[in-house]
């Protein structure tokens, strides 16, 4: 609208800038003052810290340093620019870097997650030449490589060396040539200057040196990064000493800005204040926030970086609370940590678990334990201010858990940073069958477990969340108790008769001390528990089909699950979920998490990012599959009157992209709808699942799932049947094959099915079924076991089903909702379905 006079300014406008104000032309009369303040009011609803001033000189737009305050951006200038305007900067691609010191090696996962690797080990010598040795990395990978040149081997810099190089013209020129030749000859992408000890007197000479070096490197197609120390804060002002951030930021490709080692500055607002000031001095796209993957220890006001092993050492190791000469089943076993730490807490200022203790000298010390979640929270600061990237030092340092790279991955995938906001000690009990029990406690509390049977039990402890490095373990042997001998019975012939097929069979007496042999599993018909005969369906051939079971928050029967051929375990979570991943993998199972969030907020687009961040965190932590929500077609899980497949698809899309960004191997399963045809009877509260599926397909949901979530839990006939259900009328969801075909055809066969709930209800062993579930009264326990095996056989051989989760393994609730009636592990501890399923699973 400004006319032809401003066409050149419009044409020259950088693509990453969006104009948010008028363009103000500045004209003056009279003599200019020593300083002039230019103030631009920020539009209502905008945050001044997120906006920038740029000036126009008739040829190009240039960043104009300006402080935010009072709803304005204020620039202090000596010579006013011809024109200026207020802009919003588009977020840059999230770039991530790490340092690699001599003796360290870059892992494959880190190489894939990072955009650049900064190689330590190069030192400036007294004559301005370079010495030392950099770690070896491949230079032909997707990441850039920058050596780091330092004038210090520790926190004490060689200030005299830097002064001598900058003060002497010949030495200065030689040092410039040395740096440029080093980069070009080495085939590097550029260099990082990490020069400490730049005093205010040396500041102008250092800024000019950096400007000259940047120009020469750009001429060779190389980049220059400059590390600057954390400035001193005095109220709202920041003192950078001899480091002129404006000049250095204009000369270099980027400034690497550290906020210091104190971890509490990130949640307390101090780091935010620093970054807000920094973007007023340097274009935000040229700033890289520097932090560390190491944990932090504080004593006497000093903050020192420590590896995780050192950070965990004060907690001690797992040990028996009291030495036991011999332990028997039913006796309590008490274990504890050997350290002196009294309590563990989550420090919201540091986004980290923290504890304090006194060392041998009586000095009070505090530890903060850095996790992937901690890193993700810190890196969110770079996102909030749209910085050009981040540097996470020490990712490859000894003792740093490999999972910390997940914090960087989540930053790059734009996964929302959601704080775990809790910390506890997790006790785990295992035996040869897998995990038996999980419990949380404070470090000074003993954990007591009663072993139910003889055998060896392992007790281990680690910190939650996010600490893969454990605190050791102890093995405890529980001995069998020899029973008191009882008099042997006298063998007598029995007079009882068993009638089989009309013939009289005289049972044979059992000799004293002789065990009765259990029947051996046969490929032919074999008697099953609960009466009836098990006829093995066709075994499942080779393929990708897998079986699992849903458990009630803990894995209580891992041996039975493995006997049934299960390789997966499913947990349903409404918060957290990280501990379930640890438990599942520790027991040798893949884990499916059915993740249900806040029903009251699920239709709010602002909540979708929060939910997506949660499931992405679970994926990054190792979840093998995630079901995005549960039964969103009924008002039990979705707000009444707002059930809508298109809305759910938007949530699914957010979650899918976040999950895949965090862990491409995590299988994304759409929420299994409730199988129902009752929408006519309950308008606004229910949407029939077949209609919901069609609407999902129309909304493009297939683009955001690996598998179609499917529930089947109201069958009263063999899965081979398509009629005969003792339910009112006909509905496809009463029968296995019609159910499979309905869901398969809804998406044209483009996605496999994942039964995240499949079960049959029987009241055998319990008594009458609760009201509303009487339809299951005719199903026997033998049919329950037979039909589960048939369903697995049909699914595995169909080519349409990827995963089947049996609902359920060992739930015990009976009143109201008879979940125990679906369980494969029955009240007497038997598991008829374990044998039948095991007979068909490969």
């Amino acid at each position: 609208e400004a006319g032809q006079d401003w066409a050149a300014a419009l044409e020259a406008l950088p693509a990453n800038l969006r104009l948010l104000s008028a363009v103000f032309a500045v004209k003056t009369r009279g003599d200019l003052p020593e300083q002039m303040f230019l103030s631009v009011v920020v539009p209502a609803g905008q945050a001044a810290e997120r906006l920038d001033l740029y000036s126009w000189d008739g040829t190009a737009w240039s960043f104009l340093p300006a402080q935010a305050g009072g709803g304005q951006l204020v620039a202090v200038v000596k010579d006013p620019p011809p024109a200026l305007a207020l802009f919003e900067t588009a977020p840059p691609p999230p770039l991530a870097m790490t340092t690699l010191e001599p003796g360290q090696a870059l892992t494959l996962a880190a190489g894939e997650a990072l955009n650049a690797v900064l190689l330590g080990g190069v030192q400036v010598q007294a004559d301005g030449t370079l010495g030392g040795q950099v770690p070896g990395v491949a230079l032909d990978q997707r990441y850039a490589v920058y050596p780091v040149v330092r004038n210090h081997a520790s926190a004490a810099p060689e200030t005299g060396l830097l002064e001598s190089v900058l003060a002497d013209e010949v030495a200065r020129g030689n040092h410039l040539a040395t740096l440029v030749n080093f980069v070009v000859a080495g085939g590097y992408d550029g260099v990082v200057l990490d020069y400490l000890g730049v005093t205010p007197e040396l500041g102008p000479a250092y800024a000019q040196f950096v400007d000259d070096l940047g120009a020469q490197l750009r001429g060779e197609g190389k980049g220059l990064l400059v590390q600057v120390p954390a400035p001193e804060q005095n109220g709202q002002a920041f003192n950078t000493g001899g480091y002129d951030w404006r000049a250095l930021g204009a000369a270099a490709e980027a400034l690497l800005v550290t906020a210091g080692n104190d971890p509490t500055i990130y949640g307390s607002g101090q780091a935010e204040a620093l970054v807000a000031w920094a973007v007023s001095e340097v274009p935000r796209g040229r700033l890289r926030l520097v932090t560390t993957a190491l944990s932090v220890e504080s004593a006497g006001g000093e903050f020192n970086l420590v590896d995780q092993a050192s950070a965990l050492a004060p907690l001690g190791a797992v040990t028996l609370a009291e030495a036991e000469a011999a332990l028997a089943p039913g006796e309590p076993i008490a274990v504890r940590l050997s350290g002196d730490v009294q309590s563990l807490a989550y420090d919201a200022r540091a986004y980290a678990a923290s504890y304090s203790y006194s060392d041998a000298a009586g000095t009070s010390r505090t530890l903060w334990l850095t996790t992937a979640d901690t890193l993700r929270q810190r890196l969110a600061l770079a996102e909030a201010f749209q910085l050009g990237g981040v540097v996470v030092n020490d990712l490859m340092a000894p003792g740093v858990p490999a999972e910390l790279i997940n914090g960087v991955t989540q930053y790059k995938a734009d996964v929302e940073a959601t704080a775990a906001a809790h910390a506890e000690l997790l006790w785990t009990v295992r035996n040869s069958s897998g995990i038996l029990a999980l419990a949380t406690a404070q470090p000074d509390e003993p954990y007591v477990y009663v072993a139910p049977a003889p055998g060896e039990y392992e007790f281990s402890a680690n910190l939650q969340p996010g600490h893969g490095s454990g605190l050791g373990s102890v093995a405890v042997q529980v001995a069998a108790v020899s029973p008191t001998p009882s008099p042997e019975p006298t063998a007598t012939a029995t007079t009882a008769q068993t009638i089989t097929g009309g013939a009289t069979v005289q049972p044979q007496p059992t000799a004293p001390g002789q065990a009765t042999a259990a029947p051996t599993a046969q490929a032919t018909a074999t008697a099953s528990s609960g009466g009836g005969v098990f006829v093995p369906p066709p075994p499942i051939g080779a393929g990708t089909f897998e079986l699992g079971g849903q458990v009630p928050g803990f894995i209580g029967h891992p041996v039975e699950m493995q006997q049934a051929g299960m390789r997966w375990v499913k947990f349903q979570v409404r918060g957290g979920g990280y501990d379930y991943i640890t438990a599942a993998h520790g027991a040798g199972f893949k884990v499916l998490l059915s993740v249900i969030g806040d029903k009251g907020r699920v239709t709010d687009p602002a909540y979708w990012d929060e939910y997506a961040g949660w499931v992405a965190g679970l994926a990054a932590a190792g979840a093998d599959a995630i079901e995005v929500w549960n039964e969103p077609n009924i008002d039990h899980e979705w707000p009444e009157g707002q059930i809508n497949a298109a809305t759910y698809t938007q949530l699914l899309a957010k979650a899918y992209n976040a999950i895949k960004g965090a862990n491409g191997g995590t299988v994304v399963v759409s929420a299994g709808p409730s199988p129902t045809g009752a929408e006519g009877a309950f308008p606004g509260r229910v949407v029939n699942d077949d209609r919901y599926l069609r609407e999902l397909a129309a909304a493009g949901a297939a683009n955001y799932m690996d598998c179609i979530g499917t529930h089947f839990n109201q069958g009263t006939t063999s899965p081979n049947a398509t009629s005969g259900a003792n339910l009112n009328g006909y509905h496809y969801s009463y029968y296995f094959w019609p159910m499979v075909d309905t869901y398969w055809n809804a998406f044209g066969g483009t996605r496999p099915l994942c039964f995240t709930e499949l079960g049959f209800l029987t009241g055998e062993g319990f008594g009458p079924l609760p009201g509303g579930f009487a339809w299951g009264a005719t199903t026997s326990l033998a049919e329950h076991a037979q039909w589960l095996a048939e369903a697995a056989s049909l699914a595995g051989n169909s080519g349409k089903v990827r995963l089947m989760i049996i609902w359920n393994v060992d739930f015990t609730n009976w009143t109201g909702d008879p979940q125990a009636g679906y369980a494969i592990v029955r009240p007497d501890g038997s598991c008829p379905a374990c044998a039948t399923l095991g007979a068909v699973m490969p």
Side-chain angles (χ1 to χ4, degrees), residues 27-428:
K27 298 184 179 180
T28 63
R29 293 192 302 270
D31 297 327
L32 289 174
E34 286 297 318
Q35 284 186 327
M36 181 180 292
F37 296 86
L38 300 173
S39 172
V40 178
V41 177
V42 173
Q46 297 283 347
E49 295 83 359
R50 308 304 193 263
L51 305 180
D52 300 305
L53 283 181
Y54 277 78
S55 62
W56 171 250
D57 63 4
T59 302
W61 292 93
S62 300
F63 175 77
L64 185 61
Q67 293 289 328
Q72 305 173 66
L73 283 183
V74 181
V76 181
V77 299
K78 183 176 182 181
D79 297 314
L84 75 160
L86 185 66
F87 291 90
E88 179 184 42
T89 304
L95 302 178
M97 309 176 182
T98 193
T99 50
L100 197 67
E101 300 297 336
Q104 299 175 6
L106 191 69
T107 64
L108 178 61
E112 292 177 347
L114 297 167
N115 300 98
V117 179
L118 314 181
L119 307 179
V122 183
Q123 294 286 133
V124 180
Q125 306 300 303
D127 58 358
T129 59
L130 303 180
Q133 186 173 6
V134 297
V137 296
L139 301 180
D140 58 350
Q141 302 300 305
R142 58 180 298 276
Y143 50 80
V145 179
Y146 294 77
V148 182
V149 178
R150 299 177 174 124
N151 68 333
H152 56 95
S154 62
E158 296 286 345
T159 54
L161 184 155
L162 185 60
E163 183 176 2
S164 63
V165 168
L166 294 179
D168 184 272
E169 193 66 27
V170 174
R172 181 181 182 279
N174 290 338
H175 190 48
L176 278 172
T178 297
L179 290 169
V180 174
N181 291 336
F182 172 58
V183 173
V184 174
Y188 300 116
D189 295 279
V191 70
V192 181
L193 287 192
D194 182 9
Y195 289 178
L196 294 181
V198 177
T199 63
E201 294 75 22
L202 284 176
Y206 182 62
Q208 185 60 55
F209 177 81
V210 170
D211 187 65
D212 292 343
L213 178 59
Q216 291 189 33
L217 287 172
R218 284 191 295 275
E220 298 287 347
K222 307 295 182 180
L224 172 62
L225 311 180
V226 176
Q227 174 88 47
V228 289
E232 295 180 0
Q233 184 174 2
N234 183 13
Q236 299 297 315
F238 289 86
N239 180 12
T240 61
Y243 297 87
D244 185 339
W245 283 33
R246 294 186 182 184
L248 296 174
E253 177 185 338
L255 292 191
L256 311 186
V257 179
T258 179
N261 290 340
D262 180 357
T264 65
I265 61 177
Y266 292 95
S268 65
Q270 292 175 261
E272 182 177 8
L274 168 61
V275 175
W277 174 83
V279 298
S280 73
E281 298 290 302
V282 180
R284 59 190 72 224
R286 293 193 176 192
L287 294 171
R288 308 286 186 268
L289 180 66
V290 180
T291 187
T292 177
L294 291 172
S295 296
V296 182
E297 182 182 53
S298 172
E302 296 290 329
F303 294 90
N304 299 309
L305 303 179
V306 296
D307 60 49
Q308 192 176 80
S310 300
L312 295 176
L315 290 160
V318 177
T319 184
L320 280 172
E322 295 181 7
E324 300 285 351
L327 288 166
E331 294 181 351
I333 304 170
V335 291
R336 62 179 298 272
L337 292 181
S338 61
D340 297 322
V341 174
Q342 297 299 305
S343 63
L344 175 73
Y346 182 83
D347 190 340
R349 301 170 306 161
Y351 306 115
S354 174
Y355 61 85
S356 298
Y357 71 101
S358 295
D359 61 18
T363 303
S364 178
R365 296 179 178 273
T366 301
L367 263 297
W368 291 270
L369 302 164
T370 300
T371 66
D373 178 74
T374 306
L375 285 182
R376 182 67 193 95
Q377 296 293 327
R378 293 177 186 172
L379 303 187
L381 186 60
E383 286 179 297
F385 284 89
Q386 299 177 347
L387 305 188
V390 298
V391 181
V392 181
N393 290 330
D394 312 305
L395 268 174
M396 300 295 105
V400 172
E403 62 263 24
L404 263 67
I405 196 68
N406 292 336
V408 178
T409 302
Q410 292 175 26
Y411 161 73
K412 293 194 63 181
D414 196 26
V415 175
E416 184 178 3
T418 54
H422 67 97
E424 60 268 332
L425 183 69
L426 178 69
W427 286 101
T428 304

Side-chain angles (χ1 to χ4, degrees), residues 583-598:
H585 290 169
F589 291 100
K590 298 179 184 178
V591 60
L592 164 67
L593 299 178
S594 177
V595 183
I596 307 170
D598 188 340

Side-chain angles (χ1 to χ4, degrees), residues 346-698:
Y346 182 83
D347 190 340
R349 301 170 306 161
Y351 306 115
S354 174
Y355 61 85
S356 298
Y357 71 101
S358 295
D359 61 18
T363 303
S364 178
R365 296 179 178 273
T366 301
L367 263 297
W368 291 270
L369 302 164
T370 300
T371 66
D373 178 74
T374 306
L375 285 182
R376 182 67 193 95
Q377 296 293 327
R378 293 177 186 172
L379 303 187
L381 186 60
E383 286 179 297
F385 284 89
Q386 299 177 347
L387 305 188
V390 298
V391 181
V392 181
N393 290 330
D394 312 305
L395 268 174
M396 300 295 105
V400 172
E403 62 263 24
L404 263 67
I405 196 68
N406 292 336
V408 178
T409 302
Q410 292 175 26
Y411 161 73
K412 293 194 63 181
D414 196 26
V415 175
E416 184 178 3
T418 54
H422 67 97
E424 60 268 332
L425 183 69
L426 178 69
W427 286 101
T428 304
V429 185
R430 294 178 174 86
N431 67 3
S432 58
S433 300
I435 292 179
L436 301 176
L438 295 167
T440 58
Q442 282 294 329
D444 64 333
E445 298 173 345
Y447 171 63
V448 180
Y449 176 78
V450 177
E456 185 174 89
Y457 294 81
E458 181 190 44
F459 295 80
S460 61
N462 68 329
L463 294 181
Q464 294 293 311
H467 292 280
S469 297
L471 297 166
S473 64
V474 63
V476 178
Q477 188 70 40
V478 176
V481 178
S482 300
T484 302
S486 58
E488 294 183 351
T490 303
T492 57
T494 178
T495 59
Q497 294 180 337
T498 302
I499 308 300
T500 304
T504 301
V505 179
Q506 184 71 37
Q508 299 299 312
T510 301
Q514 178 180 329
T516 302
T520 304
Q522 303 291 328
T524 57
T526 308
S528 69
S529 175
V533 174
F534 170 53
V535 181
I540 299 169
T544 59
F545 175 79
E546 292 181 287
L547 186 70
Q550 183 165 343
V551 297
F554 59 91
I555 304 172
H557 294 86
V559 174
E560 289 84 352
M561 293 173 67
Q562 291 162 356
Q563 179 191 358
M566 294 181 180
R567 299 293 178 265
W568 286 76
V569 62
K570 174 193 170 186
F571 296 93
Q572 192 165 84
V573 299
R574 295 180 183 270
Y578 298 91
D579 294 349
Y580 292 148
I581 299 171
T582 302
H585 290 169
F589 291 100
K590 298 179 184 178
V591 60
L592 164 67
L593 299 178
S594 177
V595 183
I596 307 170
D598 188 340
K599 171 184 170 182
R601 300 167 60 204
V602 69
T603 58
D604 181 1
Y607 175 67
W608 298 341
D609 286 330
E610 181 179 328
Y611 178 87
W614 176 21
V615 291
L618 294 172
D624 300 284
I626 293 175
E627 183 179 15
V628 179
W629 219 265
N630 177 67
E631 300 191 344
N633 63 320
I634 59 174
D635 63 349
H636 180 69
E637 301 287 12
W638 203 270
E640 181 178 348
Q642 300 181 61
I643 298 172
N644 185 288
T647 302
Y648 169 77
T649 299
Q650 292 178 285
L651 171 68
L652 177 66
K654 283 273 188 180
Y656 177 89
N657 290 329
I659 290 169
K660 292 300 184 181
N663 184 349
T666 300
V667 176
V668 179
V669 184
S670 62
S674 175
T676 178
E679 65 178 28
F682 303 99
R685 297 178 56 191
V686 171
V687 172
N688 291 349
D689 58 322
D690 56 345
R691 180 161 77 90
Y692 196 85
L693 289 167
R694 291 193 299 271
E695 293 173 354
L696 281 177

